[in-house]
Amino acid sequence: MSDSKLAGQFFDAAIGLLERVRDEEAGAVAAAGAAIADTVASGGRLFAFGAGHSSLAAQDVVYRAGGLALMNLLTVPGTVGVDVMPATLGSALERVDGLASAVLDSSPATSGDLLVIISLSGRNALPVEMAQNARALGLTVVGVTSVAYTTGTKSRHASGGFLRDHCDIVLDSKIAIGDAELTAEGVEAPFAPASTVVTSALMQAVMATAAEELVARGIEPPLLRSGNVDGGHEWNGRVMREYGDRIFYRH
């Protein structure tokens, strides 16, 4: 069987996007990593939120080997993934006014904490209000989004604004509107989205920067090890005991 032409095209597209965010978003990645390090050093807590497929990149930095133990998933019931039935309900909930404030008010997030909000389009009410309300509570807000949507689509929030308009730091994933990298003769719709690959890479780059920043300040980054390597469980137990009051996925 010959190699797939379209597979190669997708890899090339993804690599091109990764190179762009590496080169063009370096300053924003550095700022986000420093903000996370500031929060860890000052005793604050870390949270990540995303709805739909944007939640994948948020989940990717929570309770995982090589990740910061302090990163907690901020969940909005029904919007985390395609496990809700019908799956279209999750998309509908992203457009509901007031949902973000209800979630934040019942969460442990408070002033001095940091929240990463991931939303590809950044146009729906949920991520916009999440950013607005988080900042009003005194949280630092890092947004991960595609800035292209702000010029090529209309906001679905009453303010007319997008996620990027309500963040302290914005990371642009460079994903084109529609999130599909390929077209082909005989295929009626564009396909092969790259947002998960690129957004997850951005998140891991930020986490690496945060670890680097903490070491520079003389603070051991509270990282988790794989439970599938010798000593991993013991290591993780120590980290979780030491930072237990800032880790909410155990409670």
Side-chain angles (χ1 to χ4, degrees), residues 4-251:
S4 168
K5 175 184 174 183
L6 290 176
Q9 288 179 3
F10 176 75
F11 281 122
D12 288 345
I15 290 167
L17 285 163
L18 289 169
E19 289 177 339
R20 282 192 65 195
V21 297
R22 178 196 64 195
D23 297 341
E24 298 173 19
E25 297 301 299
V29 168
I36 288 175
D38 288 341
T39 305
V40 173
S42 63
R45 291 85 59 84
L46 306 172
F47 298 89
F49 164 76
H53 284 90
S54 290
S55 73
L56 295 174
Q59 294 178 58
D60 193 45
V61 293
V62 176
Y63 184 54
R64 68 158 303 138
L68 287 174
L70 274 60
M71 184 60 78
N72 301 276
L73 189 67
L74 183 67
T75 59
V76 176
T79 70
V80 176
V82 294
D83 57 327
V84 64
M85 295 295 287
T88 50
L89 175 60
S91 299
L93 288 173
E94 291 185 59
R95 305 177 190 181
V96 174
D97 294 332
L99 187 56
S101 60
V103 168
L104 276 172
D105 288 346
S106 60
S107 80
T110 189
S111 179
D113 294 343
L114 180 143
L115 172 61
V116 180
I117 300 176
I118 303 168
S119 174
L120 180 62
S121 73
R123 67 190 296 223
N124 288 311
L126 184 56
V128 174
E129 290 185 358
M130 190 72 77
Q132 288 179 319
N133 285 284
R135 289 179 90 185
L137 287 172
L139 278 75
T140 298
V141 176
V142 176
V144 186
T145 188
S146 170
V147 173
Y149 278 83
T150 65
T151 57
T153 68
K154 292 183 178 180
S155 170
R156 290 184 176 134
H157 186 247
S159 69
F162 288 77
L163 170 62
R164 68 168 296 189
D165 300 318
H166 303 284
C167 299
D168 298 290
I169 301 164
V170 176
L171 298 169
D172 181 6
S173 64
K174 316 292 183 181
I175 299 295
I177 295 172
D179 192 18
E181 294 300 317
L182 302 183
T183 57
E185 187 176 349
V187 182
E188 293 300 316
F191 57 100
S195 61
T196 304
V197 172
V198 176
T199 305
S200 291
L202 271 171
M203 291 296 294
Q204 294 299 345
V206 168
M207 296 301 143
T209 304
E212 184 178 29
E213 283 277 334
L214 287 167
V215 169
R217 303 177 194 193
I219 300 171
E220 180 187 348
L223 296 168
L224 296 172
R225 290 180 181 268
S226 171
N228 296 314
V229 299
D230 291 343
H233 285 299
E234 292 76 12
W235 172 281
N236 292 343
R238 176 185 65 79
V239 171
M240 289 184 179
R241 285 193 300 274
E242 187 172 343
Y243 292 94
D245 59 336
R246 296 153 77 179
I247 298 172
F248 300 102
Y249 51 80
R250 299 185 68 216
H251 298 182

